[in-house]
Amino acid sequence: AFYGCNNLKGSVIIPSGITTIENGIFTDCWSLESVTIPDTVTTISDFAFERCRSLTSVTIPSSVTTIGGLAFASCINLSDITIPTGVTEIEMHAFSQTEWLENKQKENPLVVVNNILIDGETCKGDVIVPNSVKKIAESAFSFADNIKTITIPSSITTIDSFTFSDCANLETVFLPNTITSIDFYAFGYSKNLSHITIPDSVTEIDDEAFFECEKLKCVTIPSSVTTIGDKAFGYYFELEDLPSDDCYKKYEDFTICGEKGTAAEKYANENGFKFIALSRLAGSNRYDTAAKRSQASFDKADTVYLASGENYADALAAVPLAADDSPILLTSKNLLSDDSLAEIKRLIAKNVIILGGEGAISKTVENKLKAEGLNTSRIAGKNRFETATKIAEKVADKPEDVFFVYYNGFADALSASAVAAVKNAPIIYLPTKGELNAETAAYLKELKNKNCVKNAYVIGGEGVISDDMANKAAKALGLEKATRLAGKDRFETNLEVNKKFASDMYGNMVCVATGMDFPDALSGGVYAAKNKAPLFFINSKTKTATLSENQTAYLKAKAAGNIVAFGGTGAVSDKYLEEITKCSK
């Protein structure tokens, strides 16, 4: 209406009854000095007072709820503004290039007015948006070249279009689990963005949301995302002549991680990107988690092995026994887990074999199983050494390989469990030093007489099984020596086992478990063996999800297309999974 009225001087009074100051009404009124806005106005639209260079102050009435994009932009002499608390939306660059905004940014480079972030271009380094912010305007941080990392508060639900576009040095963005959508070109052309965690609250990622993010080589997309727009990931623009569809190019080394059957897999397949299947087998507790592994491996089973979920001693040697056609479920000593019982019924199992004596799993649990109409039996010796040999006798009559592990720790035994299952090899307990246990010696003598064992492997360093003890065990089998597989700690030992038996564990999968507790890896060993997948241990007790150089090198060489986590986020954090998938791409 008054666009470009350069000679409109002095004041303008907008009469009562007007509710909206429409787009561009006073744009380029260079001589306009003041304006009176009545309390009937609720919206000041886009460009309403843009480039009103003589405007020095504005009082916005309490009735106003929305201030549009560029509404007061380039009002270079505007130094005094009153914004009422009723304003809920301030759109992109509403006050850019005003004296008022410049003064505000000198006080605090992260400018927040009435809970609304109105400009982020002068932010530097690591930025944490305050929890008071309820809305981040479109393009609020675009071209903010000084930002390296930014943390968005849980008060924000949408990353609007262009919000972080063209942020030349932005490397990492932390999004809360309240975000539901990431809009068009939200991170476009932020070339240094190398890491983004998309929370599982997000359902929609719009077209070109991460366009031309050349350092973003791998992204994990949660199953909550049902819509991924055109060229949202993995594309860049190469302009040769006139713009056309041919100008869109793909980053050939880009990788998508996510669950099978989701929008993530569909996007990867439709666009020709590598896809790494990512899944988590976890329940509400260790018993439920074991049941979930069984469900993933078996439709039915005649026999189920039941181990203690509280004590690993009698159960570690059982993975090779169970791997062919039976799951390992867990129970407490005196109370049969409801999750385990429900899984036994789902499998239509007839037999339950209890691992260990009544000190591990009581008669009460056994009677409960019998009351459910199940046939029960035990594999148990008077100690863990004898229990291991009794299990070993059932694994194979004439095994070609034998694994020796420390009797009083779980980590090394679990590292070998899936491999031993694939090779149909028994797991035998040894002490650190001294003499062989009598039952162990008797079993090894039987194998020697059968002349069947070709290879013996000692898992772990000399601190757990001495060279003297390893030599005694090898000679009892009739072998000159045993091969020791060991690293500086349980995680490096785990890698040595995986590397040694890479040709046996050739599946396109890695099973990730904590190396700091036994239940998840114990029940998961059967699942890993059935998929010819190595067990990969991480340290769940550390505050940061850090992989060693050797672990990183192993994962890169393995380049698995399927990553399965055993247990919840307390056992294997999402951050660890992200690091593992990045190494596997």
Side-chain angles (χ1 to χ4, degrees), residues 360-373:
I361 299 176
S362 70
K363 194 73 173 177
T364 301
V365 172
E366 185 175 358
N367 289 338
K368 172 65 174 175
L369 294 167
K370 289 179 178 178
E372 295 290 338

Side-chain angles (χ1 to χ4, degrees), residues 486-552:
K488 64 181 181 181
D489 56 28
R490 64 185 64 187
F491 306 102
E492 295 296 316
T493 295
N494 171 249
L495 285 184
E496 292 303 314
V497 172
N498 290 342
K499 288 188 287 187
K500 174 67 176 178
F501 299 104
S503 61
D504 297 285
M505 313 305 282
Y506 55 80
N508 190 29
M509 177 187 289
V510 168
C511 295
V512 185
T514 176
M516 304 306 291
D517 204 356
F518 74 93
D520 290 339
L522 171 61
S523 60
V526 174
Y527 179 89
K530 288 179 72 67
N531 289 280
K532 302 292 190 294
L535 283 170
F536 182 87
F537 287 168
I538 55 95
N539 187 352
S540 59
K541 301 299 183 182
T542 59
K543 292 183 179 180
T544 57
T546 304
L547 299 173
S548 70
E549 290 184 9
N550 289 336
Q551 286 179 313
T552 298

Side-chain angles (χ1 to χ4, degrees), residues 404-430:
F404 293 119
V405 301
Y406 180 51
Y407 82 105
N408 201 27
F410 61 82
D412 294 339
L414 289 175
S415 282
S417 62
V419 175
V422 170
K423 297 178 77 66
N424 204 31
I427 295 175
I428 300 300
Y429 291 155
L430 294 179

Side-chain angles (χ1 to χ4, degrees), residues 411-459:
D412 294 339
L414 289 175
S415 282
S417 62
V419 175
V422 170
K423 297 178 77 66
N424 204 31
I427 295 175
I428 300 300
Y429 291 155
L430 294 179
T432 301
K433 55 186 179 181
E435 300 299 324
L436 291 171
N437 168 268
E439 287 76 22
T440 302
Y443 172 72
L444 297 181
K445 184 177 180 180
E446 286 182 22
L447 295 183
K448 179 181 179 180
N449 292 336
K450 293 176 182 179
N451 194 30
C452 58
V453 178
K454 297 179 180 179
N455 304 293
Y457 301 97
V458 175
I459 311 301

